[in-house]
Amino acid sequence: MDEGMDRLVKEWLRLDKDVSTRKEIENLAAQNNVRELESRMKTRIQFGTAGLRARMEAGFSRLNCLTVIQTSQGLAQYLIENAFEAKEKGIVIGYDARHNSSHFAELAAAAFVAKGIRVWWYDDPVHTPLVPFAVRELGSAAGVMITASHNPASDNGYKVYAGNGCQINSPADAKISASILQNLEPITWDAVGPQNPLMLRQRILTLMINEYSNKICQMIHFHERKPPAFVYTPLHGVGLRYMLTVAKELEIDQLMTVVEEQALPDPNFPTVKYPNPEEKGALDLAVSTASSKGVNLVLANDPDADRFAAAEKVGSEWHQFTGDEIGVLLGYFLFQKAPAKTDYVMLTSTVSSQMLSEIGKKEGFKVEECLTGFKWLGNRAIDVMKQGKAMLFAYEEALGYMTPDIVLDKDGVMAAALFLEACSQSGSPYLMLGRLYQKFGFFKTLNTYWRSPSIDRTANVFKAIRGLGTPFPEKVGGRSVNRWRDLTNDYDSETQDKKAVLPASADIQMITCWLSGTETDDGIRFTVRTSGTEPKIKLYLESRAKKQEDGVNAAYEMLRTLKLDWFYDSDLRIEEKCRNL
């Protein structure tokens, strides 16, 4: 172990008062496990797509009691210096049911109280949308949610919301990171906080649940037609309490059957490989329950219930809807039931389907694309509303859906209620989707990802892609490249100055390619990017055609081409998202 690492180990042991994580570093140092120490100690955990998210273990690059305290102190100081009346307005703190979530939240609360900032406290596990909801309802300076969403059980996260109810974005993230580095010395390790903590910590759970369910019930109307019976699973997360509250308010709780094995929070997620409703096998138990009960509709939330998934039995087979299919169905339904206006705006991410945009062109509403993530979608929604336009809906293909009247972030419980309303008014969602294809053309999305063994290996994959042509390849899979956008290098072949319109960053890897059509299809668009939260290379591919068969064939043919020509590294492990059960 070199001198630099020895200093880092000594600094960790000086700062860390948690017995278990101290022991981890002591053992690694005693074993002279330099490789593991470098992984944990040499870099500091950074804000990414979803705030902080990492494996729970000792080290400056991991999530643990020390890094939670340091992050909270830095955020507190940033708020004091930058948010008007931050101490009086306070901060909302919530947590999910993962390992250590409640303890991390207590430590965070103590840090804010020690800085004199009022804490609006959720005293039970909540679904993530309740934090940004409370930020807007209470007019607080910020919000923190301790969650790692649908990540593996070994992970946790620290999600930060600004005073506008949106996830933090640039330049606030960089300023908070800088503030953290100036506040590394823990003020308190007492999870209860300093003297008279109740003066600065107020419970809000009951009030916010009531306000939240009331707002959803103001939006959802079943009239005389109730939705079909459905099976619901929270995938061992916190969603059941909030889904059941809304279902009772809407008087549809008798139509809901809960998957018993997955009903209660369990941080080990024992019945699924990954607690992500997009993953293959995640809905198997729900589908089995539905089949045994003679129910044809399955609804699911991920563990922190900000995402929503659905599957429907069609004939003898089950169809699991993609995030794009649900987004198109919900967006079109909201437009249909909205009062007649000409300035409706919807938002999608740049890796989501182009179908909603095509519908908007023909039906008279505008669809804008944003970068991936609700920190972009939520903040853009605020801009749209400030312009006096009617901001109706936003979604991204990763099962995230937002209606700005409820929260400015994705909300799985709201989406489930809205989906049920659409079912009650339009009938089978699968048949409704078919009618939309007949009217607006067929769009086939194939989204998958590869797990990468290292950052270096990922960088080499993108280096090889960029080496296929200068400034880009003329053809991909025999199709002409009509447009090439590389947000890592701030390049777009379509613009006059060849600069990207969307925000570019050298810290991300993201390439989008538009390909020409053939006699049987109208072209293909695909995006390759790295994940902001996991070691993945993600592919989002979409074909367009007049006939379903032609669109499907085009999409699968291009996927095979990219597997062979772009992702041939044997150490990349492909894990396709489940679409048909």
Side-chain angles (χ1 to χ4, degrees):
M1 186 164 57
D2 62 24
E3 185 178 339
M5 182 55 66
D6 184 60
R7 283 198 303 269
L8 288 172
V9 168
K10 287 179 179 178
E11 180 68 358
W12 178 271
L13 295 177
R14 185 183 73 82
L15 294 172
D16 188 15
K17 305 303 179 187
D18 182 90
V19 175
S20 62
T21 47
R22 282 181 61 89
K23 190 71 171 175
E24 285 182 48
I25 298 302
E26 288 172 342
N27 288 342
L28 290 172
Q31 298 161 7
N32 198 30
N33 192 338
V34 175
R35 183 175 181 180
E36 184 65 18
L37 284 170
E38 286 183 344
S39 170
R40 297 192 189 195
M41 305 293 283
K42 277 207 164 181
T43 59
R44 180 162 200 90
I45 186 171
Q46 294 290 324
F47 281 100
T49 304
L52 303 178
R53 196 177 292 184
R55 189 177 178 87
M56 289 179 285
E57 54 190 6
F60 295 118
S61 69
R62 304 295 197 261
L63 205 74
N64 47 63
C65 294
L66 177 59
T67 55
V68 165
I69 291 171
Q70 292 174 327
T71 299
S72 300
Q73 291 177 171
L75 176 59
Q77 190 62 39
Y78 167 83
L79 293 173
I80 291 170
E81 295 174 2
N82 293 276
F84 179 68
E85 296 182 342
K87 291 185 176 183
E88 293 74 20
K89 289 184 175 181
I91 186 166
V92 177
I93 298 181
Y95 56 92
D96 66 8
R98 283 177 173 266
H99 292 295
N100 297 318
S101 284
S102 61
H103 185 54
F104 289 162
E106 288 276 3
L107 290 171
F112 286 105
V113 169
K115 288 277 193 177
I117 297 176
R118 180 186 302 278
V119 170
W120 303 104
W121 177 253
Y122 281 118
D123 52 342
D124 266 333
V126 296
H127 77 314
T128 291
L130 272 186
V131 170
F133 178 82
V135 168
R136 293 171 79 191
E137 287 293 303
L138 298 171
S140 70
V144 167
M145 176 68 187
I146 306 297
T147 180
S149 190
H150 57 271
N151 274 41
S154 57
D155 292 356
N156 215 324
Y158 188 107
K159 199 169 189 177
V160 181
Y161 293 90
N164 61 6
C166 296
Q167 295 179 38
I168 59 164
N169 206 345
S170 179
D173 52 359
K175 292 180 179 179
I176 294 169
S177 293
S179 181
I180 292 168
L181 295 178
Q182 299 298 316
N183 291 272
L184 296 178
E185 195 75 32
I187 299 173
T188 177
W189 279 84
D190 185 357
V192 177
Q195 294 298 314
N196 301 318
L198 293 181
M199 293 177 63
L200 287 175
R201 197 167 92 168
Q202 297 186 20
R203 296 177 179 180
I204 58 172
L205 182 61
T206 301
L207 173 64
M208 288 301 108
I209 289 178
N210 291 338
E211 292 294 324
Y212 173 79
S213 60
N214 287 340
K215 283 208 168 185
I216 289 184
C217 291
Q218 290 170 13
M219 183 181 78
I220 305 297
H221 304 285
F222 290 113
H223 304 296
E224 300 299 320
R225 303 173 66 178
K226 294 292 184 182
F230 61 97
V231 164
Y232 171 75
T233 176
L235 287 180
H236 300 295
V238 300
L240 179 58
R241 178 178 188 174
Y242 307 101
M243 182 67 188
L244 189 57
T245 298
V246 170
K248 286 181 177 179
E249 288 290 324
L250 293 171
E251 299 182 347
I252 58 170
D253 54 302
Q254 297 301 313
L255 299 171
M256 182 170 75
T257 298
V258 180
V259 180
E260 293 183 7
E261 299 91 333
Q262 298 172 335
L264 298 179
D266 187 330
N268 294 314
F269 312 114
T271 67
V272 292
K273 184 178 180 181
Y274 300 108
N276 181 351
E278 289 185 290
E279 298 281 357
K280 186 175 182 180
L283 298 190
D284 284 357
L285 199 53
V287 166
S288 176
T289 301
S291 297
S292 68
K293 301 289 185 181
V295 175
N296 294 333
L297 188 63
V298 164
L299 308 184
N301 290 134
D302 65 341
D304 69 327
D306 63 349
R307 286 174 169 83
F308 166 71
E312 181 184 10
K313 191 172 186 181
V314 182
S316 59
E317 303 292 330
W318 281 87
H319 175 82
Q320 182 172 342
F321 295 96
T322 68
D324 283 313
E325 289 170 343
I326 294 174
V328 167
L329 287 169
L330 294 182
Y332 187 70
F333 175 70
L334 279 169
F335 176 71
Q336 281 188 310
K337 79 169 196 168
K341 294 184 73 173
T342 59
D343 60 352
Y344 284 118
V345 178
M346 300 190 202
L347 305 176
T348 64
S349 71
T350 189
V351 299
S352 298
S353 173
Q354 301 161 93
M355 185 173 180
L356 191 61
S357 180
E358 188 66 22
I359 294 173
K361 291 176 185 176
K362 296 180 179 178
E363 294 291 320
F365 58 87
K366 183 179 181 181
V367 177
E368 293 185 18
E369 285 190 358
C370 301
L371 286 182
T372 304
F374 275 84
K375 67 179 182 180
W376 299 102
L377 294 165
N379 282 288
R380 178 56 188 159
I382 290 177
D383 292 341
V384 169
M385 290 186 287
K386 285 181 178 178
Q387 294 169 6
K389 298 177 182 177
M391 179 62 224
L392 196 59
F393 176 67
Y395 93 90
E396 65 176 11
E397 61 79 38
L399 304 179
Y401 316 97
M402 179 188 91
T403 52
D405 289 343
I406 307 297
V407 293
L408 288 165
D409 197 13
K410 54 186 175 291
D411 184 348
V413 173
M414 175 283 299
L418 183 61
F419 190 82
L420 289 170
E421 183 189 12
C423 290
S424 73
Q425 304 301 313
S426 304
S428 160
Y430 183 84
L431 294 179
M432 182 61 202
L433 190 63
R435 292 193 291 271
L436 293 179
Y437 286 146
Q438 288 179 352
K439 186 174 182 180
F440 301 106
F442 181 77
F443 293 73
K444 174 62 179 178
T445 56
L446 280 179
N447 299 335
T448 189
Y449 63 85
W450 287 262
R451 290 192 179 272
S452 177
S454 69
I455 295 174
D456 289 341
R457 194 65 61 86
T458 299
N460 287 337
V461 169
F462 281 88
K463 182 178 179 180
I465 292 171
R466 294 188 178 99
L468 294 172
T470 304
F472 57 87
E474 293 183 2
K475 292 182 180 292
V476 175
R479 294 172 181 260
S480 297
V481 176
N482 291 340
R483 181 183 174 190
W484 182 275
R485 183 177 65 203
D486 185 343
L487 291 180
T488 309
N489 294 323
D490 193 15
Y491 176 83
D492 190 335
S493 65
E494 188 177 69
T495 61
Q496 186 173 356
D497 61 359
K498 305 305 178 186
K499 298 290 186 180
V501 176
L502 290 174
S505 173
D507 296 330
I508 65 170
Q509 297 280 5
M510 189 171 185
I511 295 171
T512 303
C513 180
W514 287 259
L515 300 175
S516 61
T518 67
E519 293 180 356
T520 57
D521 66 72
D522 298 322
I524 289 173
R525 183 183 77 169
F526 66 86
T527 294
V528 183
R529 74 173 183 93
T530 48
S531 170
T533 58
E534 299 174 273
K536 294 177 179 179
I537 301 173
K538 295 186 174 183
L539 171 67
Y540 308 83
L541 188 154
E542 182 176 46
S543 64
R544 297 177 60 176
K546 294 178 178 61
K547 296 181 180 179
Q548 179 172 343
E549 181 181 3
D550 294 334
V552 170
N553 289 340
Y556 276 103
E557 179 183 353
M558 183 53 58
L559 178 59
R560 287 191 292 269
T561 295
L562 293 174
K563 284 180 181 178
L564 291 172
D565 295 348
W566 287 26
F567 303 106
Y568 48 80
D569 188 329
S570 59
D571 288 332
L572 297 177
R573 181 160 51 91
I574 190 169
E575 296 193 23
E576 297 184 44
K577 296 180 181 179
C578 181
R579 294 314 182 198
N580 295 311
L581 299 171

